Amino acid sequence: EVCRELWCLSKSNRCVTNSIPAAEGTLCQTGSIEKGWCYQGECVPFGTWPQSIDGDWGPWSIWGECSRTCGGGVSSSIRHCDSPAPSGGGKYCLGERKRYRSCNTDPCPSGARDFREKQCADFDNMPFRGKYYNWKPYTGGGVKPCALNCLAEGYNFYTERAPAVIDGTQCNADSLDICINGECKHVGCDNILGSDAKEDRCRVCGGDGSTCEAIEGFFNDSLPRGGYMEVIQIPRGSVHIEIREVAMSKNYIALKSEEDDYYINGAWTIDWPRKFDVAGTAFHYKRPTDEPESLEALGPTSENLIVMILLQEQNLGIRYKFNVPISRTGSGDNEVGFAWNHLPWSECSATCAGGVQKQEVVCKRLDDNSIVQNNYCDPDSKPPENQRTCNTEPCPPEWFIGDWSECSKTCDGGMRSRTVLCIRKIGPSEEETLDSTNCLTHRPIEKEPCNNQSCPPQWVALDWSECTPKCGPGFKHRIVLCKSSDLLKTFPAAQCQEESKPPVRIRCSLGRCPPPRWVTGDWGQCSAQCGLGQQMRTVQCLSYTGQASSECPETLRPPLMQQCESKCDSTPISNTEECKDVNKVAYCPLVLKFKFCSRAYFRQMCCKTCQGH
């Protein structure tokens, strides 16, 4: 069965196997299959493909932790395409792999820090290009609403501190929509993700627009000599406030309290156009260079306000519009009808390479065309939402800049790199890579130095010494120095961390030492000048290291003395030249000192020294 175990014939005509099956697709044959191929250890008819299995989703995981503790966070749940996983060319699961739901939708306590503001402030204690700044959110034009762009307080620049804010952060101040995974997602006025709950014209969530009434008017009175003039009073609780000049002029819209405290453009001082937090809501004061000025707020206001005009020339007219709360008996305007309406075409979702425009369908009151929640209209008669493509021409070429790699070194100057490509988007999910010359702006750098700060001093260990002693247990030693990272400077040991210092001594052994042994010196001169005498030598018990020992076996001790014989010469020694000290040990002065010259043996050994004594 070749598909289960492949056997081969060796050069020596022996059958051998590695006990593994033949490769997938190897030709095979069985009693029932004349021509087949191997598939998963079985012989199947030739050309049979494995059965493809489409993937299916596994169960959703439990909901994760909420991204915020208040103010509307999100938690997520994921599932995997593993029940079963696609195999044999089967299709991958369609649908969402991750889902989100709202959590902790209660408003944050009054006075709590804005969530986006806190995320920027988290960077206050991190250096940016070597300096520390206080960061505030920047949500001006030209930035992605779900990126964390922060403005350096007191400086004229902002930068992207994170590509995406934390899930649950509002996309912008005047909308409940929140960022999830870097994208803006719709949130209903009930603070629930994906909900179609809408505020009515009175800013009541799910209301039918019956708890307020619209106040509209046109003010064109004037003063002969200029000054502040009252336009209209805005009662407490008003919503959807709009104050607009009908034509450009040198006059200025102003706003004050009932107690004559000016909030905007008071005391003949003109404020820069910006957002003003007044009476519990945000007033947006706009003064474009080529359009009349305006003042808008969503409301509701927490106090009575008075709109003024600072006249410097003839008043050409101011339009005002806002909704004031009213108390009604009953459930609302039963006599008012509601109908489905298409909103105007939305802006194109992309400026090039194919975007989408939509005409959303909303339910409106018939008396003032204000939008209400969909359940006030008949769901069966709801028309479909219109959609069309727009801006289909390719985008201009631009640089694609990848993320920086990790620095090659943590200190003493490393390098990091990133991918830089010139690309052009030609469709919603299609782009092409072009030659760099097609991108007109300067090519972004692909490599740069990093971590240029000096490395701290470090321990450097020199080589180990030889083991001493040469046998038996001993030690190796080495020198450990505190040096600069480039190894050129040596510092005092206190500048390196003591706890990380490498050891300077380790145990070692070069094997067992040989036992102590008897060591003998050379034989001395014969004691007799003529005939039989004695000669001596030194005998010592020494260890391997040369030190005296008492561990040599006495039975093996060599003799200290032996008999010797000197030839008797007929002619006495008369020549003084032949009389000399023959002992190798320089002890003849001692023989003289202790008067041993009278003894024949010492006289012979120290002949020259003993002459004349």
Side-chain angles (χ1 to χ4, degrees), residues 120-128 131-135 161:
C120 279
D122 285 344
F123 289 94
D124 288 357
N125 56 0
M126 297 183 197
F128 177 72
K131 287 182 71 177
Y132 291 88
Y133 300 90
N134 289 329
W135 298 98
R161 297 311 318 250

Side-chain angles (χ1 to χ4, degrees), residues 164-192:
V165 288
I166 294 172
D167 288 350
T169 307
Q170 284 187 329
C171 304
N172 54 65
D174 288 336
S175 165
L176 291 169
D177 293 352
I178 61 172
C179 296
I180 293 178
N181 212 17
E183 291 184 15
C184 200
K185 300 292 184 185
H186 175 67
V187 171
C189 61
D190 53 3
N191 241 353
I192 302 298

Side-chain angles (χ1 to χ4, degrees), residues 18-29:
N18 282 338
S19 299
I20 57 172
E24 298 287 85
T26 302
L27 292 177
C28 59
Q29 204 172 14

